[in-house]
Amino acid sequence: MDTALAQPARARLIASGHQQVSVRSTLRYTAADPYAVHIDFPGGASLDGGSVTWTFARALLEEGLSGPAGIGDVHIWPCGWARTVVELHSPHGLAMIHFETAALRRFLRRSYAVVAAGGEDLAPILDEGLESLLGGV
């Protein structure tokens, strides 16, 4: 059985002119993908009006809660003691989103209850992928 975690999170999209727009989001974690966390944004949060999911390393989220982290499409850093910035880069542009640090910490703690740090096991996923590629040979 796959254990999953989903936690709604209040977020604020930083728009031009430092305007902030409330955005609903859901933080997700699943034992089936133990190294990753997901942030889901509903339709209307993107330029094309569709829902969007960003996936990145759970370790990146943990690192970004205490200092600047990220070198690719996702950058995370603390903004004072109560907020954390998640910066998302895509071919279409950039989004800066403020989350409550306490909510992100709570989510991370809950994810470690699903799969402890260092307890990630990719063997079943690799076996399934190899079986799929080799057609059961």
Side-chain angles (χ1 to χ4, degrees):
M1 181 172 117
D2 182 32
T3 306
L5 164 65
Q7 176 181 309
R10 287 187 279 165
R12 310 243 348 132
L13 176 65
I14 309 305
S16 61
H18 300 285
Q19 267 186 311
Q20 295 187 20
V21 178
S22 273
V23 178
R24 292 179 308 139
S25 66
T26 302
L27 305 169
R28 284 188 305 109
Y29 179 80
T30 178
D33 192 6
Y35 290 101
V37 295
H38 311 273
I39 302 177
D40 299 326
F41 297 99
S46 67
L47 293 174
D48 67 3
S51 61
V52 175
T53 297
W54 280 82
T55 302
F56 53 92
R58 179 168 69 164
L60 174 62
L61 177 58
E62 181 174 18
E63 186 180 347
L65 290 174
S66 57
I71 57 172
D73 294 339
V74 179
H75 299 247
I76 303 172
W77 66 89
C79 183
W81 61 273
R83 301 260 180 242
T84 298
V85 175
V86 176
E87 184 178 271
L88 306 169
H89 296 256
S90 81
H92 305 290
L94 159 80
M96 289 182 62
I97 302 159
H98 281 190
F99 286 92
E100 293 177 357
T101 301
L104 295 177
R105 286 189 192 285
R106 186 171 45 255
F107 171 74
L108 195 57
R109 217 175 22 254
R110 292 177 69 203
S111 79
Y112 288 130
V114 174
V115 177
E120 299 90 348
D121 180 14
L122 289 180
I125 296 168
L126 292 174
D127 289 345
E128 184 180 302
L130 285 172
E131 185 176 323
S132 172
L133 284 172
L134 299 174
V137 174

